[in-house]
Amino acid sequence: MATEAMTAPIALERSGPRGSKPRGLTISRIGIYAFLVVMALFFLIPLWVMIVTSLKTLPEIRLGQIFSWPANLTFDPWLKAWDTACTGRDCNGLKPGFWNSVKITALSVPVSILIAMINGYALSFWKYRGSELLFGILVFGAFVPYQVVIYPLIIGLSKVGLFATLPGIVIIHTIFGMPILTLLYRNFFASLPIELFKAARVDGAGFWGIFFHIMVPMSVPITIVAIILQVTGIWNDFLFGLVFAGRPNMPMTIQLNNIVTTTTGIREYNVNMAATILTAAVPLVIYFISGKWFVRGIAAGAVKG
């Protein structure tokens, strides 16, 4: 019996792996691959046209060969878009708008994420009378059209002297980012074992002790998702920047619009394309670098059970 038990693994190894062999290319698999290739080209072809156009001179652009690589490679449109392109009455390029967008994003993202994290934590583990109603109101706020509340917000910020200021635009992004971020954090914390919270309470930890020592370290995956959503959303914002930022704090998207929609002089398509790529560079880099963490964070934030 012992000899048979010893020789069984050897016989299995010699016989090779069992089970059905992997299937080759099937019609359905070919269809899936074809669909993915078409979708990739659908998004990549416009990006390619923008890149090659931004590297061409205006005489070459007028030839109409939009897909061809530039015969005379030039980076002058990029330098002009960054430093000297006219964005209205000023001709300082996108550089001031870039630093304005950096300031707005750097201030708005941590504030909105911290508030949403505390909200999600409180709504998950420290339920009180009316907490579900408050959560429903917050979720409802994520679906309210921005245009409906712009005028009341203008009046409110004007009364306290924050309209057309940097703190004012930070408050606006914090308010409108809070509903969806609260939903993310609440779902994530709801998926954690309740025994962690109970054990911390038995050990004498209070509201802030549990939050900083247990919840914050465990919420890294969903925090990465929140950072990606807020950075890309705030960086790409046009409406709030136009209404609430004020002229000294105009973000990059507003200045891009001013460059592209100018009606005086020659329409410089190469400069317009370079300015568009420069404006979209930050969200593109974030998605390319952190795409897999975004997917992992979304999976970690899904409600289990």
Side-chain angles (χ1 to χ4, degrees):
M1 295 294 293
T3 305
E4 293 177 358
M6 294 176 61
T7 56
I10 299 176
L12 180 61
E13 182 179 355
R14 289 177 179 176
S15 64
R18 297 180 179 180
S20 59
K21 295 182 179 180
R23 294 181 301 171
L25 288 177
T26 61
I27 295 178
S28 61
R29 185 171 296 182
I30 293 174
I32 293 173
Y33 289 156
F35 174 78
L36 293 176
V37 169
V38 170
M39 288 297 99
L41 292 176
F42 179 79
F43 289 101
L44 290 177
I45 287 177
L47 181 60
W48 170 259
V49 172
M50 291 169 59
I51 293 174
V52 296
T53 302
S54 67
L55 298 174
K56 293 178 180 179
T57 60
L58 282 177
E60 187 175 358
I61 292 174
R62 295 190 182 100
L63 296 177
Q65 300 174 354
I66 60 173
F67 296 105
S68 62
W69 184 257
N72 299 313
L73 191 67
T74 177
F75 291 95
D76 290 339
W78 290 74
L79 298 176
K80 183 174 182 179
W82 176 255
D83 202 41
T84 61
C86 293
T87 58
R89 67 184 185 187
D90 300 324
C91 294
N92 299 320
L94 290 172
K95 182 167 56 177
F98 172 80
W99 293 114
N100 287 337
S101 294
V102 169
K103 289 188 292 184
I104 294 171
T105 304
L107 293 174
S108 302
V109 170
V111 174
S112 57
I113 288 178
L114 179 60
I115 295 176
M117 189 183 298
I118 296 173
N119 286 341
Y121 162 62
L123 291 170
S124 299
F125 295 104
W126 297 84
K127 293 181 183 275
Y128 49 88
R129 186 184 299 273
S131 61
E132 294 300 324
L133 176 61
L134 176 61
F135 178 66
I137 294 173
L138 285 173
V139 173
F140 175 75
F143 302 97
V144 174
Y146 297 160
Q147 296 83 353
V148 174
V149 295
I150 281 183
Y151 184 69
L153 287 173
I154 292 174
I155 299 299
L157 290 179
S158 300
K159 294 293 185 181
V160 296
L162 293 176
F163 180 69
T165 63
L166 182 60
I169 186 65
V170 170
I171 291 173
I172 292 299
H173 283 302
T174 301
I175 291 173
F176 283 94
M178 189 168 54
I180 187 65
L181 295 183
T182 299
L183 177 62
L184 285 176
Y185 277 106
R186 194 257 190 185
N187 288 347
F188 176 80
F189 289 135
S191 69
L192 298 178
I194 190 65
E195 288 76 15
L196 289 173
F197 175 76
K198 293 180 178 179
R201 291 289 290 157
V202 170
D203 291 338
F207 183 93
W208 296 112
I210 298 174
F211 177 71
F212 286 110
H213 293 97
I214 297 178
M215 299 303 164
V216 172
M218 296 190 68
S219 61
V220 172
I222 202 66
T223 299
I224 293 175
V225 175
I227 291 173
I228 294 173
L229 289 176
Q230 278 297 86
V231 169
T232 54
I234 294 172
W235 191 275
N236 292 329
D237 168 67
F238 179 84
L239 179 62
F240 292 151
L242 178 65
V243 177
F244 296 101
R247 184 174 181 81
N249 305 303
M250 279 189 177
M252 207 173 183
T253 50
I254 307 300
Q255 295 189 333
L256 170 65
N257 176 75
N258 294 340
I259 291 176
V260 174
T261 58
T262 181
T263 56
T264 59
I266 300 174
R267 181 80 68 174
E268 296 179 304
Y269 297 102
N270 48 3
V271 176
N272 295 345
M273 294 298 180
T276 304
I277 297 173
L278 286 171
T279 304
V282 171
L284 286 175
V285 170
I286 289 176
Y287 274 122
F288 281 132
I289 293 177
S290 57
K292 60 179 181 181
W293 287 286
F294 181 82
V295 175
R296 290 176 184 175
I298 288 292
V303 178
K304 303 174 180 62

